[in-house]
């Protein structure tokens, strides 16, 4: 029976792992701490595949070279290689995307593709990541069952830049639609919420909804000297 590893730190993926992993399809191991992803630990497990849904660290070349590592990227690669794919898609006006399972190499998001599946970009970032997690584990099951051969990427390469917390600031003269999209695309655990900066106050926005020409959101207000940057 084959061994498999899922390496992830996000609750939505851990929940899907607990719900969907079937011991009949192999021996499964969850790594949810970066310090446990070592070549020594992996050699003990000897996995056929290591799946990386929403992993936040660069995987060492030693692991990439020895094991078959697969990540899940929220763009139709080679379009959208790089950081912050969800946010970069939404600010560019995309309503839908592809969730791509690809072989990890030492060039970010440039490896050959195992599978692509449609994903809608509706709702908050939490909503989208939850949908993405469910889809990810369906794709994992398909890969384990069918063992597809990955296919090299073709087409024009478009790279996304990773966003910084400063990019979450809402600027003056923003449109209603862009305000809505900026808030919702950052509304998820560990992400820097959209905010408006006043002279001594910071207003953080979450839980936004849209009804015609009206937006309703939850706002937290911090005194500048008490706000943890």
């Amino acid at each position: 029976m084959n061994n498999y590893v899922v390496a992830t730190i996000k609750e939505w993926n851990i929940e899907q792992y607990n719900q969907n992993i079937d011991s009949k399809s192999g021996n499964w191991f969850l790594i949810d701490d970066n310090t446990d992803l070592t070549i020594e630990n992996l050699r003990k497990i000897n996995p056929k595949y290591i799946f990386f849904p929403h992993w936040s660290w660069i995987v060492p070349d030693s692991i990439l070279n020895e094991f078959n590592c697969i990540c899940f990227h929220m763009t139709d690669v080679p379009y959208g290689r790089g950081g912050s794919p969800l946010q970069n898609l939404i600010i560019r006006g995309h309503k839908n995307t592809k969730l791509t399972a690809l072989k990890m190499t030492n060039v970010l998001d440039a490896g050959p593709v195992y599978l692509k599946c449609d994903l809608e970009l509706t709702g908050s970032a939490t909503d989208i990541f939850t949908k993405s997690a469910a889809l990810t584990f369906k794709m994992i099951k398909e890969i384990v069952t069918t063992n597809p051969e990955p296919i090299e990427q073709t087409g024009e390469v478009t790279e996304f830049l990773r966003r910084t917390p400063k990019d979450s600031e809402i600027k003056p003269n923003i449109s209603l639609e862009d305000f809505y999209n900026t808030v919702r695309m950052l509304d998820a655990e560990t992400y820097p919420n959209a905010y408006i900066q006043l002279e001594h106050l910071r207003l953080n926005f979450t839980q936004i909804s849209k009804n015609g020409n009206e937006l309703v959101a939850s706002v937290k207000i911090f005194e500048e000297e008490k706000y943890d940057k």
Side-chain angles (χ1 to χ4, degrees):
M1 187 173 286
N2 292 316
N3 296 334
Y4 305 97
V5 169
V6 174
T8 186
I9 59 168
K10 298 299 185 182
E11 286 299 324
W12 43 80
N13 288 314
I14 294 172
E15 181 179 348
Q16 288 293 325
Y17 174 91
N18 292 330
Q19 291 178 1
N20 288 283
I21 292 306
D22 183 356
S23 61
K24 294 178 183 177
S25 63
N27 300 311
W28 291 85
F29 301 83
L30 176 66
I31 293 178
D32 58 3
D33 187 323
N34 185 41
T35 60
D36 293 331
L37 190 78
T38 65
I39 195 75
E40 294 79 15
N41 285 345
L42 294 172
R43 283 172 176 166
K44 292 176 184 177
I45 298 172
N46 190 29
K48 182 176 181 179
Y49 296 116
I50 307 174
F51 298 102
F52 289 86
H54 218 136
W55 191 248
S56 297
W57 297 274
I58 296 296
V59 177
D61 285 350
S62 59
I63 293 176
L64 297 179
N65 293 335
E66 187 164 336
F67 299 100
N68 196 355
C69 299
I70 300 176
C71 69
F72 297 83
H73 191 67
M74 202 181 287
T75 73
D76 189 4
V77 294
Y79 177 81
R81 293 180 186 175
S84 309
L86 171 59
Q87 291 76 26
N88 276 299
L89 286 168
I90 289 177
I91 62 177
R92 286 166 171 78
H94 292 278
K95 307 295 185 184
N96 301 278
T97 187
K98 299 283 188 182
L99 184 62
T100 300
L102 53 86
K103 183 177 178 64
M104 297 169 68
T105 68
N106 57 8
V107 180
L108 190 64
D109 304 323
V113 172
Y114 287 92
L115 292 173
K116 289 184 179 182
C117 293
D118 294 330
L119 178 66
E120 290 186 356
L121 298 175
T122 55
S124 68
T126 297
D127 296 332
I128 298 167
F129 287 137
T130 300
K131 289 185 291 188
S132 174
L135 184 56
T136 292
F137 280 85
K138 288 182 181 179
M139 296 169 75
I140 287 174
K141 285 184 178 180
E142 183 171 347
I143 291 170
V144 168
T145 302
T146 64
N147 297 298
E149 285 294 323
I151 299 172
E152 294 293 336
Q153 298 180 28
T154 59
E156 183 179 353
V157 175
T158 301
E159 295 186 348
F160 288 165
L161 295 177
R162 182 171 296 279
R163 290 168 58 90
T164 68
K166 184 64 177 175
D167 293 323
S168 298
E169 183 175 4
I170 296 172
K171 301 297 185 180
N173 302 320
I174 190 171
S175 70
L176 193 75
E177 184 69 17
D178 287 345
F179 192 108
Y180 170 72
N181 284 329
T182 301
V183 173
R184 74 180 180 92
M185 75 185 191
L186 296 166
D187 191 2
E189 175 189 350
T190 74
Y191 280 78
N193 296 140
Y195 68 92
I196 290 176
Q197 185 66 54
L198 304 179
E199 186 174 359
H200 300 297
L201 298 174
R202 178 172 291 200
L203 287 65
N204 276 18
F205 294 86
T206 58
Q207 299 177 337
I208 197 165
S209 61
K210 181 171 61 172
N211 183 12
N213 291 324
E214 181 178 87
L215 301 179
V216 177
S218 176
V219 184
K220 291 185 178 180
I221 304 172
F222 302 85
E223 291 181 329
E224 180 65 16
E225 64 270 19
K226 295 182 180 179
Y227 187 80
D228 183 10
K229 296 182 180 180

